[in-house]
Structure formats: C-alpha cells, structure tokens
Amino acid sequence: MPNYLKLIISLALPQLLGGLGAFFTLSSVNSWFVMLNKPSWNPPSWLFGPVWTLLYVLMGIACYLIWKSDHPQKKALLKLYTVQLILNALWSPAFFGMQSPFLGLMVIIPLWIAIVLCIVQFKKVSPLASGLMVPYLLWVTFATALNTTIWVMN
C-alpha cells in the first residue's frame, strides 16, 4: 500500500471513531450529563471537540509513522494502537450512552494503560511517534481524574 494511503487511513480512522463518540456525547449532553454534579474544574463543553480533533490528528500521525516503518515489531505495535483506539471509541458509549461514570472508568483505566504502552513501545520504532502520543496521555489522565470525580460526586 502506498504511504499516502496509509497516511489518509491513519488520519481518518481516529476521526471516524471520534465521530461515534460525539454521537453518544451529543445525544446525552443535553439531558443526563447536565444534571450530574461536576467539579469546579470541569472544562466547558465547547473545549472537548477541538481538543479531541487535535489529539486524533496527532494519534493518526503517530500511527502513520509506525505503519510506514520497516520495523519487525510494526504489526504488534499496530495491534496495540488498535486496542487503545477501540478502548477510546468505547468510552463515550460507556460513559454517556450507558449514562454510567463507573462504566466509563472501567474503560478509561485500561485505555490509559494502553496509551502508556503505546508511548513506551512506539519509542523503539519512532521517538516522534511516541512523543505525539504524550498529549493524548495527558488529556486522558485529566479525563480519568474528571471521570473519577464525577463518579464519586454522583
């Protein structure tokens, strides 16, 4: 497969899965979520879309850098990336779709672990790919704290 197709797929896939998450978020945000007790440091809802869009671009570039490499661990690393991407896609249906901060936690904790593993393993192939995943880890760390706090408060 030509590298330009790998790049297009790598960039499009996280955005498509993010769209699935947005569907669950938007359908719930006007009813259930607004009624929850939230901490004072809960970001405004308008911030999530731009942040996730940027993070999905960075993730896509990281995936592309791994995919285009000739490293012998490339397939295993792409599987690990796919696992974290699936967990990412499951969080919104768990938290918003099921209206369950607890289920959200049951997804976001393994997601956080998978992202850490991606960062550590990607570094062997591409330090840049590894670094591009760091903002994602930081945001998911924040999201984990927020998810936990919302669960405790409700």
Side-chain angles (χ1 to χ4, degrees):
M1 178 181 302
N3 280 339
Y4 76 90
L5 284 178
K6 291 178 182 177
L7 178 61
I8 291 168
I9 293 167
S10 296
L11 290 171
L13 192 56
Q15 298 293 342
L16 290 172
L17 291 175
L20 171 68
F23 169 77
F24 284 98
T25 303
L26 293 175
S27 63
S28 293
V29 101
N30 291 328
S31 56
W32 171 76
F33 187 71
V34 295
M35 302 303 290
L36 291 176
N37 296 314
K38 292 178 270 317
S40 60
W41 45 272
N42 185 68
S45 58
W46 61 263
L47 184 64
F48 289 91
V51 168
W52 277 113
T53 300
L54 175 61
L55 292 174
Y56 289 142
V57 169
L58 297 176
M59 291 164 55
I61 295 169
C63 176
Y64 168 71
L65 292 172
I66 299 301
W67 196 0
K68 77 177 187 99
S69 78
D70 293 325
H71 197 277
Q73 291 183 335
K74 172 173 72 175
K75 285 187 181 183
L77 295 176
L78 290 173
K79 286 179 185 176
L80 177 59
Y81 176 83
T82 300
V83 167
Q84 70 77 29
L85 201 58
I86 290 168
L87 288 167
N88 180 299
L90 290 174
W91 183 83
S92 287
F95 187 94
F96 290 105
M98 301 297 291
Q99 299 182 352
S100 175
F102 178 75
L103 287 178
L105 274 176
M106 295 302 100
V107 174
I108 205 167
I109 292 169
L111 170 60
W112 188 90
I113 293 167
I115 297 166
V116 169
L117 291 173
C118 280
I119 290 169
V120 169
Q121 297 301 315
F122 282 14
K123 192 168 188 176
K124 298 173 184 176
V125 176
S126 169
L128 177 57
S130 175
L132 289 169
M133 297 290 283
V134 171
Y136 176 38
L137 176 66
L138 295 174
W139 184 256
V140 171
T141 300
F142 173 75
T144 303
L146 183 59
N147 189 150
T148 302
T149 303
I150 290 172
W151 176 57
V152 168
M153 291 178 75
N154 292 278

PDB file of all heavy atoms in Angstrom, residues 78-116:
ATOM      1  N   LEU A  78       0.950  -1.934  15.781  1.00  0.00           N
ATOM      2  CA  LEU A  78      -0.322  -1.502  15.194  1.00  0.00           C
ATOM      3  C   LEU A  78      -1.504  -2.176  15.889  1.00  0.00           C
ATOM      4  O   LEU A  78      -2.567  -1.571  16.042  1.00  0.00           O
ATOM      5  CB  LEU A  78      -0.337  -1.752  13.693  1.00  0.00           C
ATOM      6  CG  LEU A  78       0.593  -0.852  12.878  1.00  0.00           C
ATOM      7  CD1 LEU A  78       0.625  -1.290  11.425  1.00  0.00           C
ATOM      8  CD2 LEU A  78       0.224   0.618  13.009  1.00  0.00           C
ATOM      9  N   LYS A  79      -1.312  -3.398  16.344  1.00  0.00           N
ATOM     10  CA  LYS A  79      -2.364  -4.073  17.125  1.00  0.00           C
ATOM     11  C   LYS A  79      -2.569  -3.359  18.459  1.00  0.00           C
ATOM     12  O   LYS A  79      -3.705  -3.155  18.893  1.00  0.00           O
ATOM     13  CB  LYS A  79      -2.016  -5.541  17.354  1.00  0.00           C
ATOM     14  CG  LYS A  79      -2.175  -6.405  16.125  1.00  0.00           C
ATOM     15  CD  LYS A  79      -1.808  -7.846  16.401  1.00  0.00           C
ATOM     16  CE  LYS A  79      -1.864  -8.657  15.110  1.00  0.00           C
ATOM     17  NZ  LYS A  79      -1.436 -10.041  15.316  1.00  0.00           N
ATOM     18  N   LEU A  80      -1.488  -2.985  19.109  1.00  0.00           N
ATOM     19  CA  LEU A  80      -1.578  -2.248  20.370  1.00  0.00           C
ATOM     20  C   LEU A  80      -2.275  -0.909  20.148  1.00  0.00           C
ATOM     21  O   LEU A  80      -3.153  -0.519  20.926  1.00  0.00           O
ATOM     22  CB  LEU A  80      -0.170  -2.035  20.948  1.00  0.00           C
ATOM     23  CG  LEU A  80      -0.066  -1.221  22.231  1.00  0.00           C
ATOM     24  CD1 LEU A  80      -0.874  -1.859  23.363  1.00  0.00           C
ATOM     25  CD2 LEU A  80       1.402  -1.073  22.624  1.00  0.00           C
ATOM     26  N   TYR A  81      -1.924  -0.226  19.067  1.00  0.00           N
ATOM     27  CA  TYR A  81      -2.575   1.041  18.730  1.00  0.00           C
ATOM     28  C   TYR A  81      -4.071   0.819  18.505  1.00  0.00           C
ATOM     29  O   TYR A  81      -4.893   1.619  18.962  1.00  0.00           O
ATOM     30  CB  TYR A  81      -1.925   1.638  17.474  1.00  0.00           C
ATOM     31  CG  TYR A  81      -2.586   2.906  16.998  1.00  0.00           C
ATOM     32  CD1 TYR A  81      -2.262   4.136  17.561  1.00  0.00           C
ATOM     33  CD2 TYR A  81      -3.544   2.883  15.991  1.00  0.00           C
ATOM     34  CE1 TYR A  81      -2.878   5.300  17.134  1.00  0.00           C
ATOM     35  CE2 TYR A  81      -4.167   4.044  15.556  1.00  0.00           C
ATOM     36  CZ  TYR A  81      -3.824   5.249  16.127  1.00  0.00           C
ATOM     37  OH  TYR A  81      -4.438   6.398  15.713  1.00  0.00           O
ATOM     38  N   THR A  82      -4.411  -0.257  17.831  1.00  0.00           N
ATOM     39  CA  THR A  82      -5.823  -0.573  17.565  1.00  0.00           C
ATOM     40  C   THR A  82      -6.576  -0.835  18.861  1.00  0.00           C
ATOM     41  O   THR A  82      -7.715  -0.394  19.020  1.00  0.00           O
ATOM     42  CB  THR A  82      -5.929  -1.784  16.613  1.00  0.00           C
ATOM     43  OG1 THR A  82      -5.263  -1.460  15.385  1.00  0.00           O
ATOM     44  CG2 THR A  82      -7.375  -2.134  16.322  1.00  0.00           C
ATOM     45  N   VAL A  83      -5.950  -1.518  19.794  1.00  0.00           N
ATOM     46  CA  VAL A  83      -6.580  -1.776  21.098  1.00  0.00           C
ATOM     47  C   VAL A  83      -6.911  -0.465  21.793  1.00  0.00           C
ATOM     48  O   VAL A  83      -8.034  -0.258  22.260  1.00  0.00           O
ATOM     49  CB  VAL A  83      -5.682  -2.663  21.992  1.00  0.00           C
ATOM     50  CG1 VAL A  83      -6.166  -2.662  23.439  1.00  0.00           C
ATOM     51  CG2 VAL A  83      -5.623  -4.081  21.447  1.00  0.00           C
ATOM     52  N   GLN A  84      -5.960   0.461  21.840  1.00  0.00           N
ATOM     53  CA  GLN A  84      -6.233   1.736  22.517  1.00  0.00           C
ATOM     54  C   GLN A  84      -7.275   2.533  21.759  1.00  0.00           C
ATOM     55  O   GLN A  84      -8.093   3.220  22.352  1.00  0.00           O
ATOM     56  CB  GLN A  84      -4.954   2.531  22.790  1.00  0.00           C
ATOM     57  CG  GLN A  84      -4.252   3.127  21.600  1.00  0.00           C
ATOM     58  CD  GLN A  84      -4.888   4.373  21.047  1.00  0.00           C
ATOM     59  OE1 GLN A  84      -5.527   5.132  21.754  1.00  0.00           O
ATOM     60  NE2 GLN A  84      -4.731   4.588  19.763  1.00  0.00           N
ATOM     61  N   LEU A  85      -7.285   2.418  20.423  1.00  0.00           N
ATOM     62  CA  LEU A  85      -8.283   3.137  19.633  1.00  0.00           C
ATOM     63  C   LEU A  85      -9.690   2.588  19.889  1.00  0.00           C
ATOM     64  O   LEU A  85     -10.651   3.353  20.015  1.00  0.00           O
ATOM     65  CB  LEU A  85      -7.927   3.028  18.145  1.00  0.00           C
ATOM     66  CG  LEU A  85      -8.505   4.059  17.202  1.00  0.00           C
ATOM     67  CD1 LEU A  85      -8.112   5.469  17.603  1.00  0.00           C
ATOM     68  CD2 LEU A  85      -8.054   3.763  15.774  1.00  0.00           C
ATOM     69  N   ILE A  86      -9.796   1.286  20.018  1.00  0.00           N
ATOM     70  CA  ILE A  86     -11.096   0.659  20.331  1.00  0.00           C
ATOM     71  C   ILE A  86     -11.552   1.084  21.732  1.00  0.00           C
ATOM     72  O   ILE A  86     -12.722   1.429  21.928  1.00  0.00           O
ATOM     73  CB  ILE A  86     -11.013  -0.873  20.195  1.00  0.00           C
ATOM     74  CG1 ILE A  86     -10.869  -1.256  18.716  1.00  0.00           C
ATOM     75  CG2 ILE A  86     -12.237  -1.550  20.818  1.00  0.00           C
ATOM     76  CD1 ILE A  86     -10.489  -2.705  18.489  1.00  0.00           C
ATOM     77  N   LEU A  87     -10.643   1.056  22.686  1.00  0.00           N
ATOM     78  CA  LEU A  87     -10.998   1.500  24.041  1.00  0.00           C
ATOM     79  C   LEU A  87     -11.428   2.963  24.033  1.00  0.00           C
ATOM     80  O   LEU A  87     -12.401   3.332  24.697  1.00  0.00           O
ATOM     81  CB  LEU A  87      -9.826   1.288  25.002  1.00  0.00           C
ATOM     82  CG  LEU A  87      -9.539  -0.167  25.364  1.00  0.00           C
ATOM     83  CD1 LEU A  87      -8.183  -0.294  26.050  1.00  0.00           C
ATOM     84  CD2 LEU A  87     -10.648  -0.738  26.221  1.00  0.00           C
ATOM     85  N   ASN A  88     -10.728   3.776  23.265  1.00  0.00           N
ATOM     86  CA  ASN A  88     -11.101   5.183  23.141  1.00  0.00           C
ATOM     87  C   ASN A  88     -12.529   5.302  22.602  1.00  0.00           C
ATOM     88  O   ASN A  88     -13.336   6.079  23.113  1.00  0.00           O
ATOM     89  CB  ASN A  88     -10.107   5.889  22.207  1.00  0.00           C
ATOM     90  CG  ASN A  88     -10.407   7.352  22.023  1.00  0.00           C
ATOM     91  OD1 ASN A  88     -11.462   7.728  21.532  1.00  0.00           O
ATOM     92  ND2 ASN A  88      -9.455   8.188  22.395  1.00  0.00           N
ATOM     93  N   ALA A  89     -12.835   4.515  21.578  1.00  0.00           N
ATOM     94  CA  ALA A  89     -14.168   4.566  20.966  1.00  0.00           C
ATOM     95  C   ALA A  89     -15.255   4.046  21.907  1.00  0.00           C
ATOM     96  O   ALA A  89     -16.409   4.463  21.812  1.00  0.00           O
ATOM     97  CB  ALA A  89     -14.170   3.758  19.670  1.00  0.00           C
ATOM     98  N   LEU A  90     -14.897   3.160  22.835  1.00  0.00           N
ATOM     99  CA  LEU A  90     -15.881   2.588  23.763  1.00  0.00           C
ATOM    100  C   LEU A  90     -16.199   3.495  24.943  1.00  0.00           C
ATOM    101  O   LEU A  90     -17.231   3.327  25.596  1.00  0.00           O
ATOM    102  CB  LEU A  90     -15.383   1.234  24.294  1.00  0.00           C
ATOM    103  CG  LEU A  90     -15.359   0.091  23.296  1.00  0.00           C
ATOM    104  CD1 LEU A  90     -14.708  -1.135  23.922  1.00  0.00           C
ATOM    105  CD2 LEU A  90     -16.761  -0.215  22.800  1.00  0.00           C
ATOM    106  N   TRP A  91     -15.317   4.463  25.230  1.00  0.00           N
ATOM    107  CA  TRP A  91     -15.531   5.270  26.419  1.00  0.00           C
ATOM    108  C   TRP A  91     -16.833   6.087  26.352  1.00  0.00           C
ATOM    109  O   TRP A  91     -17.620   6.076  27.295  1.00  0.00           O
ATOM    110  CB  TRP A  91     -14.341   6.203  26.696  1.00  0.00           C
ATOM    111  CG  TRP A  91     -14.562   6.958  27.962  1.00  0.00           C
ATOM    112  CD1 TRP A  91     -14.299   6.515  29.227  1.00  0.00           C
ATOM    113  CD2 TRP A  91     -15.163   8.244  28.110  1.00  0.00           C
ATOM    114  NE1 TRP A  91     -14.690   7.463  30.150  1.00  0.00           N
ATOM    115  CE2 TRP A  91     -15.224   8.539  29.482  1.00  0.00           C
ATOM    116  CE3 TRP A  91     -15.659   9.184  27.214  1.00  0.00           C
ATOM    117  CZ2 TRP A  91     -15.742   9.722  29.980  1.00  0.00           C
ATOM    118  CZ3 TRP A  91     -16.175  10.370  27.701  1.00  0.00           C
ATOM    119  CH2 TRP A  91     -16.221  10.634  29.077  1.00  0.00           C
ATOM    120  N   SER A  92     -17.076   6.782  25.272  1.00  0.00           N
ATOM    121  CA  SER A  92     -18.297   7.601  25.179  1.00  0.00           C
ATOM    122  C   SER A  92     -19.574   6.776  25.283  1.00  0.00           C
ATOM    123  O   SER A  92     -20.492   7.161  26.005  1.00  0.00           O
ATOM    124  CB  SER A  92     -18.296   8.442  23.899  1.00  0.00           C
ATOM    125  OG  SER A  92     -17.375   9.499  24.026  1.00  0.00           O
ATOM    126  N   PRO A  93     -19.666   5.637  24.570  1.00  0.00           N
ATOM    127  CA  PRO A  93     -20.869   4.814  24.772  1.00  0.00           C
ATOM    128  C   PRO A  93     -21.009   4.310  26.215  1.00  0.00           C
ATOM    129  O   PRO A  93     -22.120   4.223  26.731  1.00  0.00           O
ATOM    130  CB  PRO A  93     -20.679   3.646  23.803  1.00  0.00           C
ATOM    131  CG  PRO A  93     -19.773   4.163  22.753  1.00  0.00           C
ATOM    132  CD  PRO A  93     -18.866   5.141  23.454  1.00  0.00           C
ATOM    133  N   ALA A  94     -19.886   4.005  26.868  1.00  0.00           N
ATOM    134  CA  ALA A  94     -19.950   3.535  28.257  1.00  0.00           C
ATOM    135  C   ALA A  94     -20.381   4.659  29.189  1.00  0.00           C
ATOM    136  O   ALA A  94     -21.312   4.497  29.985  1.00  0.00           O
ATOM    137  CB  ALA A  94     -18.594   2.972  28.696  1.00  0.00           C
ATOM    138  N   PHE A  95     -19.714   5.805  29.092  1.00  0.00           N
ATOM    139  CA  PHE A  95     -19.985   6.920  29.995  1.00  0.00           C
ATOM    140  C   PHE A  95     -21.311   7.600  29.649  1.00  0.00           C
ATOM    141  O   PHE A  95     -22.198   7.729  30.497  1.00  0.00           O
ATOM    142  CB  PHE A  95     -18.837   7.928  29.936  1.00  0.00           C
ATOM    143  CG  PHE A  95     -18.949   9.034  30.949  1.00  0.00           C
ATOM    144  CD1 PHE A  95     -18.323   8.936  32.175  1.00  0.00           C
ATOM    145  CD2 PHE A  95     -19.679  10.191  30.675  1.00  0.00           C
ATOM    146  CE1 PHE A  95     -18.415   9.961  33.114  1.00  0.00           C
ATOM    147  CE2 PHE A  95     -19.781  11.220  31.603  1.00  0.00           C
ATOM    148  CZ  PHE A  95     -19.150  11.099  32.828  1.00  0.00           C
ATOM    149  N   PHE A  96     -21.436   8.048  28.423  1.00  0.00           N
ATOM    150  CA  PHE A  96     -22.631   8.802  28.024  1.00  0.00           C
ATOM    151  C   PHE A  96     -23.777   7.904  27.600  1.00  0.00           C
ATOM    152  O   PHE A  96     -24.911   8.095  28.031  1.00  0.00           O
ATOM    153  CB  PHE A  96     -22.299   9.775  26.885  1.00  0.00           C
ATOM    154  CG  PHE A  96     -21.448  10.926  27.307  1.00  0.00           C
ATOM    155  CD1 PHE A  96     -20.109  10.973  26.966  1.00  0.00           C
ATOM    156  CD2 PHE A  96     -21.976  11.961  28.054  1.00  0.00           C
ATOM    157  CE1 PHE A  96     -19.307  12.046  27.354  1.00  0.00           C
ATOM    158  CE2 PHE A  96     -21.189  13.039  28.453  1.00  0.00           C
ATOM    159  CZ  PHE A  96     -19.855  13.079  28.104  1.00  0.00           C
ATOM    160  N   GLY A  97     -23.484   6.931  26.723  1.00  0.00           N
ATOM    161  CA  GLY A  97     -24.544   6.071  26.200  1.00  0.00           C
ATOM    162  C   GLY A  97     -25.226   5.257  27.288  1.00  0.00           C
ATOM    163  O   GLY A  97     -26.458   5.165  27.333  1.00  0.00           O
ATOM    164  N   MET A  98     -24.426   4.687  28.176  1.00  0.00           N
ATOM    165  CA  MET A  98     -24.968   3.902  29.293  1.00  0.00           C
ATOM    166  C   MET A  98     -25.245   4.788  30.511  1.00  0.00           C
ATOM    167  O   MET A  98     -25.719   4.300  31.526  1.00  0.00           O
ATOM    168  CB  MET A  98     -24.003   2.776  29.674  1.00  0.00           C
ATOM    169  CG  MET A  98     -23.702   1.800  28.552  1.00  0.00           C
ATOM    170  SD  MET A  98     -25.144   0.905  27.976  1.00  0.00           S
ATOM    171  CE  MET A  98     -25.467  -0.125  29.379  1.00  0.00           C
ATOM    172  N   GLN A  99     -24.906   6.059  30.375  1.00  0.00           N
ATOM    173  CA  GLN A  99     -25.078   7.029  31.468  1.00  0.00           C
ATOM    174  C   GLN A  99     -24.470   6.504  32.763  1.00  0.00           C
ATOM    175  O   GLN A  99     -25.098   6.497  33.819  1.00  0.00           O
ATOM    176  CB  GLN A  99     -26.563   7.381  31.640  1.00  0.00           C
ATOM    177  CG  GLN A  99     -27.147   8.011  30.409  1.00  0.00           C
ATOM    178  CD  GLN A  99     -28.587   8.419  30.570  1.00  0.00           C
ATOM    179  OE1 GLN A  99     -29.244   8.121  31.558  1.00  0.00           O
ATOM    180  NE2 GLN A  99     -29.093   9.122  29.568  1.00  0.00           N
ATOM    181  N   SER A 100     -23.189   6.068  32.628  1.00  0.00           N
ATOM    182  CA  SER A 100     -22.537   5.423  33.757  1.00  0.00           C
ATOM    183  C   SER A 100     -21.084   5.878  33.910  1.00  0.00           C
ATOM    184  O   SER A 100     -20.200   5.378  33.207  1.00  0.00           O
ATOM    185  CB  SER A 100     -22.578   3.898  33.584  1.00  0.00           C
ATOM    186  OG  SER A 100     -21.848   3.268  34.609  1.00  0.00           O
ATOM    187  N   PRO A 101     -20.827   6.810  34.817  1.00  0.00           N
ATOM    188  CA  PRO A 101     -19.431   7.158  35.098  1.00  0.00           C
ATOM    189  C   PRO A 101     -18.598   5.949  35.536  1.00  0.00           C
ATOM    190  O   PRO A 101     -17.411   5.873  35.222  1.00  0.00           O
ATOM    191  CB  PRO A 101     -19.534   8.199  36.214  1.00  0.00           C
ATOM    192  CG  PRO A 101     -20.879   8.825  35.994  1.00  0.00           C
ATOM    193  CD  PRO A 101     -21.758   7.681  35.535  1.00  0.00           C
ATOM    194  N   PHE A 102     -19.226   5.000  36.229  1.00  0.00           N
ATOM    195  CA  PHE A 102     -18.489   3.802  36.639  1.00  0.00           C
ATOM    196  C   PHE A 102     -18.031   2.996  35.417  1.00  0.00           C
ATOM    197  O   PHE A 102     -16.869   2.584  35.346  1.00  0.00           O
ATOM    198  CB  PHE A 102     -19.334   2.928  37.573  1.00  0.00           C
ATOM    199  CG  PHE A 102     -18.633   1.661  37.970  1.00  0.00           C
ATOM    200  CD1 PHE A 102     -17.613   1.690  38.899  1.00  0.00           C
ATOM    201  CD2 PHE A 102     -18.979   0.449  37.389  1.00  0.00           C
ATOM    202  CE1 PHE A 102     -16.935   0.522  39.264  1.00  0.00           C
ATOM    203  CE2 PHE A 102     -18.314  -0.711  37.744  1.00  0.00           C
ATOM    204  CZ  PHE A 102     -17.286  -0.678  38.670  1.00  0.00           C
ATOM    205  N   LEU A 103     -18.930   2.760  34.463  1.00  0.00           N
ATOM    206  CA  LEU A 103     -18.524   2.036  33.248  1.00  0.00           C
ATOM    207  C   LEU A 103     -17.478   2.821  32.475  1.00  0.00           C
ATOM    208  O   LEU A 103     -16.570   2.236  31.884  1.00  0.00           O
ATOM    209  CB  LEU A 103     -19.729   1.734  32.366  1.00  0.00           C
ATOM    210  CG  LEU A 103     -20.669   0.638  32.856  1.00  0.00           C
ATOM    211  CD1 LEU A 103     -21.853   0.474  31.910  1.00  0.00           C
ATOM    212  CD2 LEU A 103     -19.928  -0.676  33.026  1.00  0.00           C
ATOM    213  N   GLY A 104     -17.606   4.146  32.491  1.00  0.00           N
ATOM    214  CA  GLY A 104     -16.580   4.975  31.868  1.00  0.00           C
ATOM    215  C   GLY A 104     -15.213   4.706  32.473  1.00  0.00           C
ATOM    216  O   GLY A 104     -14.214   4.579  31.759  1.00  0.00           O
ATOM    217  N   LEU A 105     -15.163   4.599  33.799  1.00  0.00           N
ATOM    218  CA  LEU A 105     -13.901   4.283  34.476  1.00  0.00           C
ATOM    219  C   LEU A 105     -13.369   2.907  34.085  1.00  0.00           C
ATOM    220  O   LEU A 105     -12.160   2.723  33.937  1.00  0.00           O
ATOM    221  CB  LEU A 105     -14.082   4.315  35.994  1.00  0.00           C
ATOM    222  CG  LEU A 105     -13.940   5.653  36.675  1.00  0.00           C
ATOM    223  CD1 LEU A 105     -14.251   5.526  38.160  1.00  0.00           C
ATOM    224  CD2 LEU A 105     -12.559   6.230  36.464  1.00  0.00           C
ATOM    225  N   MET A 106     -14.272   1.959  33.914  1.00  0.00           N
ATOM    226  CA  MET A 106     -13.857   0.607  33.550  1.00  0.00           C
ATOM    227  C   MET A 106     -13.263   0.556  32.135  1.00  0.00           C
ATOM    228  O   MET A 106     -12.558  -0.384  31.792  1.00  0.00           O
ATOM    229  CB  MET A 106     -15.041  -0.374  33.651  1.00  0.00           C
ATOM    230  CG  MET A 106     -15.564  -0.565  35.066  1.00  0.00           C
ATOM    231  SD  MET A 106     -14.300  -1.173  36.217  1.00  0.00           S
ATOM    232  CE  MET A 106     -13.807   0.319  37.074  1.00  0.00           C
ATOM    233  N   VAL A 107     -13.522   1.573  31.355  1.00  0.00           N
ATOM    234  CA  VAL A 107     -12.940   1.665  30.013  1.00  0.00           C
ATOM    235  C   VAL A 107     -11.700   2.569  30.020  1.00  0.00           C
ATOM    236  O   VAL A 107     -10.686   2.238  29.406  1.00  0.00           O
ATOM    237  CB  VAL A 107     -13.978   2.187  28.990  1.00  0.00           C
ATOM    238  CG1 VAL A 107     -13.337   2.434  27.630  1.00  0.00           C
ATOM    239  CG2 VAL A 107     -15.149   1.221  28.863  1.00  0.00           C
ATOM    240  N   ILE A 108     -11.785   3.691  30.709  1.00  0.00           N
ATOM    241  CA  ILE A 108     -10.708   4.685  30.613  1.00  0.00           C
ATOM    242  C   ILE A 108      -9.425   4.228  31.323  1.00  0.00           C
ATOM    243  O   ILE A 108      -8.328   4.612  30.909  1.00  0.00           O
ATOM    244  CB  ILE A 108     -11.178   6.075  31.107  1.00  0.00           C
ATOM    245  CG1 ILE A 108     -10.328   7.172  30.457  1.00  0.00           C
ATOM    246  CG2 ILE A 108     -11.166   6.166  32.627  1.00  0.00           C
ATOM    247  CD1 ILE A 108     -10.880   8.560  30.606  1.00  0.00           C
ATOM    248  N   ILE A 109      -9.536   3.408  32.336  1.00  0.00           N
ATOM    249  CA  ILE A 109      -8.329   2.932  33.022  1.00  0.00           C
ATOM    250  C   ILE A 109      -7.512   2.018  32.102  1.00  0.00           C
ATOM    251  O   ILE A 109      -6.299   2.245  31.920  1.00  0.00           O
ATOM    252  CB  ILE A 109      -8.662   2.296  34.383  1.00  0.00           C
ATOM    253  CG1 ILE A 109      -9.157   3.390  35.342  1.00  0.00           C
ATOM    254  CG2 ILE A 109      -7.459   1.552  34.966  1.00  0.00           C
ATOM    255  CD1 ILE A 109      -9.762   2.882  36.632  1.00  0.00           C
ATOM    256  N   PRO A 110      -8.119   1.002  31.472  1.00  0.00           N
ATOM    257  CA  PRO A 110      -7.323   0.220  30.514  1.00  0.00           C
ATOM    258  C   PRO A 110      -6.872   1.053  29.307  1.00  0.00           C
ATOM    259  O   PRO A 110      -5.805   0.802  28.746  1.00  0.00           O
ATOM    260  CB  PRO A 110      -8.244  -0.909  30.074  1.00  0.00           C
ATOM    261  CG  PRO A 110      -9.458  -0.836  30.899  1.00  0.00           C
ATOM    262  CD  PRO A 110      -9.424   0.402  31.708  1.00  0.00           C
ATOM    263  N   LEU A 111      -7.675   2.055  28.923  1.00  0.00           N
ATOM    264  CA  LEU A 111      -7.256   2.954  27.838  1.00  0.00           C
ATOM    265  C   LEU A 111      -5.968   3.665  28.229  1.00  0.00           C
ATOM    266  O   LEU A 111      -5.015   3.727  27.438  1.00  0.00           O
ATOM    267  CB  LEU A 111      -8.362   3.965  27.526  1.00  0.00           C
ATOM    268  CG  LEU A 111      -7.980   5.114  26.591  1.00  0.00           C
ATOM    269  CD1 LEU A 111      -7.537   4.607  25.230  1.00  0.00           C
ATOM    270  CD2 LEU A 111      -9.144   6.089  26.459  1.00  0.00           C
ATOM    271  N   TRP A 112      -5.912   4.201  29.442  1.00  0.00           N
ATOM    272  CA  TRP A 112      -4.729   4.907  29.918  1.00  0.00           C
ATOM    273  C   TRP A 112      -3.502   3.980  29.872  1.00  0.00           C
ATOM    274  O   TRP A 112      -2.431   4.376  29.409  1.00  0.00           O
ATOM    275  CB  TRP A 112      -4.971   5.422  31.342  1.00  0.00           C
ATOM    276  CG  TRP A 112      -3.911   6.328  31.863  1.00  0.00           C
ATOM    277  CD1 TRP A 112      -3.868   7.683  31.756  1.00  0.00           C
ATOM    278  CD2 TRP A 112      -2.723   5.943  32.568  1.00  0.00           C
ATOM    279  NE1 TRP A 112      -2.724   8.171  32.359  1.00  0.00           N
ATOM    280  CE2 TRP A 112      -2.006   7.125  32.861  1.00  0.00           C
ATOM    281  CE3 TRP A 112      -2.193   4.717  32.979  1.00  0.00           C
ATOM    282  CZ2 TRP A 112      -0.801   7.115  33.540  1.00  0.00           C
ATOM    283  CZ3 TRP A 112      -0.977   4.708  33.661  1.00  0.00           C
ATOM    284  CH2 TRP A 112      -0.307   5.891  33.939  1.00  0.00           C
ATOM    285  N   ILE A 113      -3.679   2.760  30.328  1.00  0.00           N
ATOM    286  CA  ILE A 113      -2.580   1.777  30.307  1.00  0.00           C
ATOM    287  C   ILE A 113      -2.134   1.500  28.879  1.00  0.00           C
ATOM    288  O   ILE A 113      -0.930   1.459  28.580  1.00  0.00           O
ATOM    289  CB  ILE A 113      -3.002   0.477  31.034  1.00  0.00           C
ATOM    290  CG1 ILE A 113      -3.196   0.762  32.522  1.00  0.00           C
ATOM    291  CG2 ILE A 113      -1.986  -0.638  30.799  1.00  0.00           C
ATOM    292  CD1 ILE A 113      -3.910  -0.351  33.280  1.00  0.00           C
ATOM    293  N   ALA A 114      -3.091   1.334  27.975  1.00  0.00           N
ATOM    294  CA  ALA A 114      -2.759   1.060  26.572  1.00  0.00           C
ATOM    295  C   ALA A 114      -2.003   2.232  25.940  1.00  0.00           C
ATOM    296  O   ALA A 114      -1.084   2.022  25.134  1.00  0.00           O
ATOM    297  CB  ALA A 114      -4.028   0.742  25.776  1.00  0.00           C
ATOM    298  N   ILE A 115      -2.371   3.449  26.297  1.00  0.00           N
ATOM    299  CA  ILE A 115      -1.664   4.618  25.764  1.00  0.00           C
ATOM    300  C   ILE A 115      -0.225   4.648  26.278  1.00  0.00           C
ATOM    301  O   ILE A 115       0.707   4.901  25.500  1.00  0.00           O
ATOM    302  CB  ILE A 115      -2.393   5.927  26.125  1.00  0.00           C
ATOM    303  CG1 ILE A 115      -3.783   5.974  25.485  1.00  0.00           C
ATOM    304  CG2 ILE A 115      -1.576   7.137  25.664  1.00  0.00           C
ATOM    305  CD1 ILE A 115      -4.690   7.058  26.052  1.00  0.00           C
ATOM    306  N   VAL A 116      -0.039   4.372  27.560  1.00  0.00           N
ATOM    307  CA  VAL A 116       1.320   4.323  28.121  1.00  0.00           C
ATOM    308  C   VAL A 116       2.139   3.264  27.384  1.00  0.00           C
ATOM    309  O   VAL A 116       3.295   3.511  27.003  1.00  0.00           O
ATOM    310  CB  VAL A 116       1.300   4.042  29.643  1.00  0.00           C
ATOM    311  CG1 VAL A 116       2.696   3.728  30.167  1.00  0.00           C
ATOM    312  CG2 VAL A 116       0.694   5.225  30.394  1.00  0.00           C
TER     313      VAL A 116
END
